Amino acid sequence: MARLPLLVIGAGQAGLATAHVAVRRGVRPLVLEAAERPGGSWPDYYDSLALFSPARFSALPGRPLPGDGDRYPLRDEVVAYLRDYAADLDADIRYGHRVKRVEAEGGALTVTTADGERFGAARVVAATGGFGRPHRPDLPGLADFAGTVLHTADYRTPEPFAGRRVVVVGGGNSGVQIAAELAGLARVSLATRAPVAWADQRPLGRDIHWWFIRSGLDAAPLRKPWLRGPTLVNDDGRYRAAFASGNPDRRPMFTRLTADGVQWSDGAREHVHTVVLATGYRPALRFLEGTPALDDRGEPLHRGGVSTTVPGLGYVGLEFQRSFSSATLRGVGRDARYVLDRLGLR
């Protein structure tokens, strides 16, 4: 079995950025993607999703997003951008190739796909990112709840929820955006453990990401988990105004689900039709199970995206991998350069 210099798992934003950096360094990587198209999770996000950063700060290396740099691109614009980015890459991208297992054998790494193909590689970058596995917490009373429970990964449009009573769990950007959108057709509450942490979208007339980048905060290394702080919700005033109207409203997290609704923290019970979990994602790294790469919780053991337990293995696209922008379109290229440097591809 021939040994490839670099194999990348995933053709989403992280995998495409990694492939681009490798090509610029004279290495043509093999990229294996489970889906039949590039883009990772982007094609499956809800229809109205808009980036929370302007186009000028939301591009992969080597190719700016087209159009006005100050606009906030919609999901379909990002999908088209990633499709075109993949088409122009001088990389061997193979779609419909789901990786089943990665093994360390004789100083090299062996990657096996679901249909039994095997590839040897000196280096493997797991670029399936941090958004491939929806996190569905085991809420108290969940087994007894007769209503509908769905994750934001399954949400597309508000129309199916017209006239319903909906509780959205989670106070990040997506939870707030979906709650506000649903409130146009339904009665909605946002349930969170702490008040929503609002961030002005354009302080002093500049988008907040301009300030992050100019100050160096965007790429600042995260040395300790407590430096991450609360999730900030970017807002130009629309979402705060929506919550000030009373629908949606924000409430402390309910104590449990009941057969037909929720029991709030003050003991009141309320009938609820639907619970939407805006509870984030976890890395999709099942192909590394059974290896020393993961800890007991299935989380990768790494330092800045370089495995501390499996030589030749790296990661790109993990949330907070090196900075708070690591899992973003603007951050994955920076992390890809760092990881490939430390894997010996300079």
Side-chain angles (χ1 to χ4, degrees):
M1 179 170 43
R3 191 164 96 155
L4 300 164
L6 175 65
L7 188 150
V8 179
I9 303 173
Q13 61 186 33
L16 295 177
T18 303
H20 172 89
V21 172
V23 169
R24 292 292 298 269
R25 296 180 179 186
V27 174
R28 187 171 188 263
L30 172 62
V31 183
L32 301 181
E33 167 58 49
E36 297 295 339
R37 76 294 186 260
S41 300
W42 279 102
D44 300 321
Y45 290 142
Y46 53 97
D47 291 0
S48 64
L49 175 65
L51 289 181
F52 303 105
S53 56
R56 71 175 71 256
F57 302 132
S58 305
L60 298 183
R63 188 185 188 107
L65 271 157
D68 181 5
D70 290 324
R71 80 188 195 288
Y72 298 89
L74 299 174
R75 178 202 65 183
D76 289 349
E77 295 178 75
V78 178
V79 171
Y81 168 78
L82 293 174
R83 180 192 62 221
D84 294 343
Y85 194 96
D88 290 344
L89 265 179
D90 184 21
D92 182 4
I93 305 178
R94 303 187 191 182
Y95 300 106
H97 282 62
R98 180 177 296 280
V99 172
K100 182 179 180 181
R101 185 170 61 255
V102 175
E103 300 169 287
E105 297 180 345
L109 296 165
T110 301
V111 176
T112 304
T113 64
D115 58 5
E117 286 190 84
R118 288 166 59 84
F119 303 91
R123 306 164 189 87
V124 170
V125 172
T128 48
F131 303 99
R133 183 161 57 98
H135 175 55
R136 294 179 170 87
D138 186 16
L139 300 173
L142 181 61
D144 300 323
F145 181 57
T148 300
V149 179
L150 71 154
H151 192 275
T152 52
D154 305 310
Y155 172 80
R156 294 294 175 270
T157 65
E159 285 76 17
F161 307 94
R164 313 296 279 177
R165 180 70 175 102
V166 182
V167 174
V168 178
V169 177
N173 281 300
S174 294
V176 166
Q177 192 176 77
I178 288 172
E181 179 175 75
L182 283 168
L185 296 173
R187 176 72 183 92
V188 183
S189 292
L190 184 75
T192 65
R193 299 194 184 282
V196 174
W198 300 106
D200 288 334
Q201 186 73 55
R202 298 183 63 82
L204 302 178
R206 296 273 192 177
D207 184 89
I208 193 170
H209 295 87
W210 185 90
W211 295 103
F212 287 159
I213 291 166
R214 286 295 294 267
S215 68
L217 180 62
D218 197 63
L222 288 172
R223 299 299 184 189
K224 295 180 182 295
W226 55 263
L227 290 176
R228 300 174 188 177
T231 299
L232 297 177
V233 175
N234 295 331
D235 183 33
D236 59 7
R238 288 176 296 166
Y239 296 122
R240 271 171 283 196
F243 278 83
S245 75
N247 185 30
D249 64 356
R250 181 264 159 187
R251 303 191 187 190
M253 185 63 187
F254 52 80
T255 56
R256 65 179 295 104
L257 289 163
T258 63
D260 65 350
V262 299
Q263 179 175 311
W264 295 107
S265 58
D266 62 2
R269 294 190 174 212
E270 185 178 5
H271 180 66
V272 169
H273 299 101
T274 303
V275 174
V276 179
L277 301 175
T279 48
Y281 296 79
R282 298 292 184 268
L285 298 170
R286 180 168 291 181
F287 48 81
L288 291 172
E289 290 179 356
T291 76
L294 307 179
D295 64 17
D296 292 340
R297 299 172 300 164
E299 298 290 327
L301 297 164
H302 71 97
R303 184 173 295 112
V306 180
S307 175
T308 56
T309 52
V310 179
L313 177 64
Y315 306 90
V316 175
L318 298 176
E319 191 173 20
F320 301 115
Q321 178 171 313
R322 295 181 60 237
S323 69
F324 77 83
S325 63
S326 279
T328 67
L329 284 160
R330 70 184 182 277
V332 287
R334 180 172 58 241
D335 284 358
R337 289 188 285 270
Y338 177 91
V339 169
L340 292 185
D341 277 350
R342 281 147 184 80
L343 292 182
L345 285 181
R346 300 179 181 273

